């Protein structure tokens, strides 16, 4: 049997959303690496932030990430950077995500190696977070970003608050680039469930019952809202680990709770990209969860492995 090819995704967030020429140079750095495909770029001027999504073979993805961090460190001066989004450095956060043929633990090891290289070669201190975290207080991204960029001078002097790689007294180099948070996490599936009602209170009730915080399914965050464009209420979910709570199980739970309050689920809307493993048999998933309820679901444009 042929060994399954290893694929990972990288979703770095850069503290630049206003200068197209800088964003283009970061993109060029990523696209210059063989066996890597840049899948998506999302910029926001108010947040002054750009999120890149690229994927490919692990070694190539890590090289592309390193080159992107290098360019960002050269072109983004954090002493001049402002925006509405929390940030700690030119490259704010850099997660590696397993797609297929590789485990989260293996991605965590890659993330630590990448963080060490960034700190050693680029002199940009790095925190390791999520599955790559060395200590519990650094596991959560918000904790690594505590105090944001402006709080770095004090944090660099505190042993517990210091980065995991490249810690040193605050200097001009850190003032320019800030720090970077590198880690590994499972793929986050953003998904909306369409209801045959305009009543947003019903969507909110269903969301409250299915989300983990309310005693529902683990790894599920959910809210209810009304979408003017479609004229329907939706239950909008972030599924933070589809291995723990499979997407079909989440769909069934929404259908069950919707039936309890007298409404139906007409279909499912996948936001962004989705890995093959989250859907299983793609063609069956399209039919069973009605993925094409609002618009055609084209696997070649939505499933990461097919894009690659």
């Amino acid at each position: 049997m042929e060994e399954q090819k290893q694929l990972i995704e990288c979703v770095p967030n850069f503290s630049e959303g206003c200068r197209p020429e800088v964003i283009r140079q970061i993109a060029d750095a990523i696209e210059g690496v063989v066996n890597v495909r840049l899948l998506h770029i999302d910029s926001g001027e108010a947040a002054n932030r750009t999120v890149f999504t690229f994927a490919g073979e692990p070694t190539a993805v890590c090289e592309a990430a390193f080159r992107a961090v290098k360019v960002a460190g050269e072109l983004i001066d954090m002493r001049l950077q402002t925006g509405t989004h929390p940030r700690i450095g030119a490259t704010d956060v850099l997660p590696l995500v397993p797609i297929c043929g590789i485990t989260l633990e293996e991605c965590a090891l890659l993330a630590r190696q990448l963080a060490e290289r960034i700190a050693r070669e680029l002199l940009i201190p790095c925190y390791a977070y999520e599955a790559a975290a060395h200590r519990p207080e650094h596991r959560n991204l918000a904790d690594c970003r505590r105090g944001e960029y402006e709080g770095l001078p004090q944090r660099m002097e505190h042993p517990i608050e210091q980065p995991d790689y490249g810690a040193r007294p605050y200097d001009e180099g850190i003032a320019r680039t800030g720090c970077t948070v590198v880690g590994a996490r499972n793929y986050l599936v953003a998904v909306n469930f369409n209801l045959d009602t305009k009543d947003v209170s019903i969507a909110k009730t269903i969301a409250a019952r299915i989300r983990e915080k309310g005693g529902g399914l683990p790894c599920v965050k959910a809210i209810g809202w009304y979408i003017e464009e479609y004229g329907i209420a939706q239950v909008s979910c972030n599924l933070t680990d589809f291995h723990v709570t499979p997407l079909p199980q989440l769909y069934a739970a929404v259908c069950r709770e919707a039936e309890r309050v007298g409404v139906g689920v007409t279909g499912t809307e996948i936001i962004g990209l989705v890995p093959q493993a989250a859907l299983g048999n793609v063609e069956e998933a399209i039919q069973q969860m009605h993925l094409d309820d609002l618009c055609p679901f084209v696997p070649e444009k939505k499933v990461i492995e097919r894009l690659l």
Side-chain angles (χ1 to χ4, degrees), residues 253-271:
V254 173
C255 290
R256 184 169 57 251
E257 294 300 333
E259 186 177 1
R260 286 179 59 185
V261 292
V263 300
V265 178
T266 62
T268 304
E269 179 188 25
I270 299 288
I271 305 301

Side-chain angles (χ1 to χ4, degrees), residues 46-265:
N48 200 7
R49 189 176 184 87
T50 299
V51 180
F52 286 77
T53 303
F54 57 95
E57 297 176 357
T59 300
V61 166
C62 290
E63 177 63 28
F66 177 84
R67 295 187 189 183
V69 172
K70 183 177 187 295
V71 171
E74 294 169 348
L75 300 181
I76 302 171
D77 189 339
M78 290 302 295
R79 294 170 294 190
L80 308 176
Q81 199 271 358
T82 59
T84 60
H85 199 288
R87 77 283 185 265
I88 199 173
T91 304
D92 180 53
V93 60
L94 196 164
L96 301 180
V97 182
I99 297 178
C100 67
I102 190 169
T103 66
L104 180 61
E105 291 72 22
E106 290 172 312
C107 281
L109 177 59
L110 290 172
R112 289 175 176 177
Q113 293 171 344
L114 178 58
E116 189 277 332
R117 184 186 177 195
I118 291 170
R120 172 170 44 85
E121 296 187 26
L122 304 181
L123 302 182
I124 300 174
C126 293
Y127 291 88
Y129 86 114
E130 283 281 353
H134 288 282
R135 36 187 169 169
E137 57 267 27
H138 286 175
R139 187 171 183 86
N140 190 295
L141 174 59
D143 292 333
C144 292
R145 202 193 271 143
R146 185 184 298 112
E148 296 189 41
Y149 166 76
E150 289 75 13
L152 287 179
Q154 293 74 35
R155 295 189 71 189
M156 298 302 288
E157 301 297 330
H158 197 293
I160 296 180
E161 296 288 334
Q162 287 180 344
D164 298 289
Y165 300 92
R168 65 181 190 271
Y170 191 79
D171 57 22
E172 285 301 302
I174 299 175
R176 179 179 177 82
T177 66
C179 296
T180 295
V181 187
V182 184
R185 61 167 171 78
N186 281 309
Y187 197 93
L188 186 151
V189 178
V191 56
N192 299 331
F193 298 99
N194 314 320
L195 306 178
D196 60 0
T197 180
K198 296 183 178 182
D199 191 341
V200 70
S201 67
I202 292 178
K204 290 181 177 180
T205 296
I206 297 170
R209 290 175 178 174
I210 65 167
R211 61 180 171 235
E212 181 175 19
K213 189 176 180 180
L217 296 171
C219 302
V220 173
K221 301 177 181 179
I223 60 173
W225 60 25
Y226 174 75
I227 303 298
E228 186 77 34
E229 178 183 358
Y230 300 137
I232 59 172
Q234 286 184 326
V235 179
S236 180
C237 300
N238 276 346
L239 181 55
T240 59
D241 192 338
F242 64 82
H243 298 288
V244 175
T245 297
L247 184 56
Q249 181 182 350
L250 175 58
Y251 173 75
V254 173
C255 290
R256 184 169 57 251
E257 294 300 333
E259 186 177 1
R260 286 179 59 185
V261 292
V263 300
V265 178

